[in-house]
Amino acid sequence: MTRTVPSNTAERLPVADPVKLVCTTSTVYNTKISPTMEDGRESAAMKERERKERQIDQWCYTVDDGRGLENADSDIGLCGWILVVFSIFLTLLTLPLSIWMCIKIVKEYERAIIFRLGRILRGGAKGPGLFLILPCTDSFINVDMRTITFDIPPQEVLTKDSVTVSVDGVVYYRVQNATLAVANITNADAATRLLAQTTLRNVLGTKNLSEILSDREEIAHSMQSTLDDATDDWGIKVERVEIKDVKLPQQLQRAMAAEAEAAREARAKVIAAEGEMNASRALKEASLVIAESPSGLQLRYLQTLNTIAAEKNSTIIFPLPIDMIQSFMKH
């Protein structure tokens, strides 16, 4: 499939094919705005619109590829049709024994891709339920459509601020188009696993250590978008990506722990100093109130004596008025 489209292609396309019309219009529009992109004067809105147009183009090409694969048996040649007719005749000749070789069953969560003489049968994936094949000319492959999960092995990544960390994660994906998953790639599962590892390295390589520790959701969303775009041609839909654990070197952990401990001690000293200052202000205000009424000091003595007596102590201190002591000192 050629991605270059003439500017007047939209006029020559039939109206009955909206997919091609959308793809052609999007390509022509990209050609018009390309000088603005080269000059570097596009705004954030234009960048977002360009990204959406690229997604539309990618979707169009994927749909066209899927149509081509589903209609791949349209021309199997004269020898192919002779073999198909011979297989049908042989099946009818050996009935009812051959019926058990023709009937196949796929489960609710599976789809079957049928190959007739090496070409994908018209109509794409079959299932769930019963379907028929020709024993001599047809073969099929079952594709599991359920969500598959796998762990990303711990990856040693050098962050943007030159810190080595070990990060692992988990990926959830499913087969969205069984035909593309069989015809476009040898092993979709292994390819998705390898792509997830490289994507994790690439994404974390552009982040600082503080961003990796605090913005896990943003990193997971970025990985999910990148993987989903890359695996779209394989018929794979990446549903979710999660960062499981971020392991730091032992030396860095000790340094961060010492830094956090020093910060906590500094905050504790500041809080203690603020408490002493507030207590001194309260004592100053209390002394001013007691100085206005000398009997208030005697009441404070009695309250202190009551507190001491409540604790069942054997020693009781009885306060004497300071005025009595001053009179003795004068004599």
Side-chain angles (χ1 to χ4, degrees):
M1 184 178 296
T2 305
R3 298 183 65 90
T4 305
V5 180
S7 59
N8 59 351
T9 306
E11 299 176 359
R12 293 186 278 107
L13 284 175
V15 181
D17 195 351
V19 174
K20 292 184 178 179
L21 184 58
V22 171
C23 297
T24 306
T25 305
S26 176
T27 307
V28 173
Y29 186 78
N30 286 337
T31 304
K32 292 181 180 179
I33 67 172
S34 59
T36 305
M37 295 174 58
E38 294 176 355
D39 295 338
R41 297 191 301 266
E42 67 273 15
S43 61
M46 296 180 64
K47 290 182 180 180
E48 182 68 18
R49 184 168 52 188
E50 181 191 5
R51 184 182 65 82
K52 292 181 180 179
E53 289 168 359
R54 287 199 301 266
Q55 292 179 354
I56 292 175
D57 289 340
Q58 186 178 7
W59 175 78
C60 293
Y61 298 139
T62 303
V63 171
D64 291 341
D65 292 341
R67 288 178 177 178
L69 291 173
E70 292 177 357
N71 299 329
D73 69 327
S74 58
D75 186 14
I76 60 177
L78 179 61
C79 294
W81 283 113
I82 293 175
L83 292 176
V84 170
V85 172
F86 177 76
S87 178
I88 295 174
F89 176 75
L90 185 61
T91 301
L92 295 176
L93 186 63
T94 57
L95 284 176
L97 297 178
S98 61
I99 193 65
W100 303 108
M101 301 178 63
C102 297
I103 296 178
K104 302 296 179 181
I105 301 175
V106 293
K107 299 180 177 64
E108 180 69 28
Y109 54 84
E110 291 180 340
R111 298 295 183 271
I113 307 299
I114 303 176
F115 293 88
R116 177 164 294 170
L117 297 177
R119 294 177 177 269
I120 295 180
L121 193 64
R122 182 189 301 272
K126 304 295 182 181
L130 293 172
F131 64 93
L132 299 177
I133 64 172
L134 296 178
C136 300
T137 60
D138 293 356
S139 61
F140 68 96
I141 298 176
N142 285 338
V143 180
D144 196 335
M145 306 294 290
R146 293 176 294 181
T147 299
I148 301 174
T149 63
F150 65 88
D151 293 330
I152 302 176
Q155 303 294 314
E156 295 288 339
V157 181
L158 184 64
T159 62
K160 189 176 181 180
D161 50 354
S162 301
V163 178
T164 303
V165 295
S166 178
V167 184
D168 58 352
V170 60
V171 177
Y172 302 82
Y173 78 93
R174 61 181 175 85
V175 177
Q176 189 175 15
N177 191 322
T179 304
L180 296 179
V182 171
N184 283 4
I185 191 168
T186 304
N187 191 335
D189 181 73
T192 305
R193 292 172 184 268
L194 295 176
L195 184 61
Q197 297 179 21
T198 56
T199 303
L200 179 62
R201 288 176 173 270
N202 295 336
V203 172
L204 295 182
T206 61
K207 302 291 184 179
N208 296 326
L209 178 61
S210 58
E211 294 176 350
I212 295 176
L213 296 176
S214 59
D215 299 337
R216 293 192 180 186
E217 293 184 0
E218 181 181 354
I219 295 173
H221 179 70
S222 177
M223 286 187 58
Q224 188 268 335
S225 301
T226 304
L227 287 174
D228 195 17
D229 294 339
T231 58
D232 195 16
D233 294 338
W234 305 339
I236 300 297
K237 172 64 177 178
V238 179
E239 297 179 340
R240 190 178 182 87
V241 177
E242 292 291 341
I243 302 298
K244 292 175 60 178
D245 190 16
V246 179
K247 297 181 180 179
L248 303 177
Q250 294 294 332
Q251 186 176 1
L252 181 59
Q253 291 182 13
R254 289 193 295 267
M256 294 178 66
E259 181 182 359
E261 184 178 359
R264 287 194 298 269
E265 290 179 357
R267 287 196 299 268
K269 290 180 180 179
V270 171
I271 294 173
E274 291 178 354
E276 292 292 339
M277 182 178 62
N278 295 332
S280 62
R281 289 178 180 176
L283 289 175
K284 179 182 177 182
E285 294 177 358
S287 63
L288 294 177
V289 173
I290 293 175
E292 295 177 357
S293 177
S295 59
L297 183 59
Q298 303 297 329
L299 293 176
R300 183 58 183 167
Y301 287 157
L302 296 176
Q303 291 178 357
T304 304
L305 182 61
N306 186 20
T307 303
I308 295 173
E311 295 178 358
K312 298 180 180 180
N313 294 327
S314 58
T315 303
I316 298 177
I317 301 174
F318 186 82
L320 295 175
I322 299 178
D323 298 336
M324 297 176 59
I325 299 176
Q326 288 181 353
S327 60
F328 285 111
M329 293 177 62
K330 291 180 181 179
H331 292 291

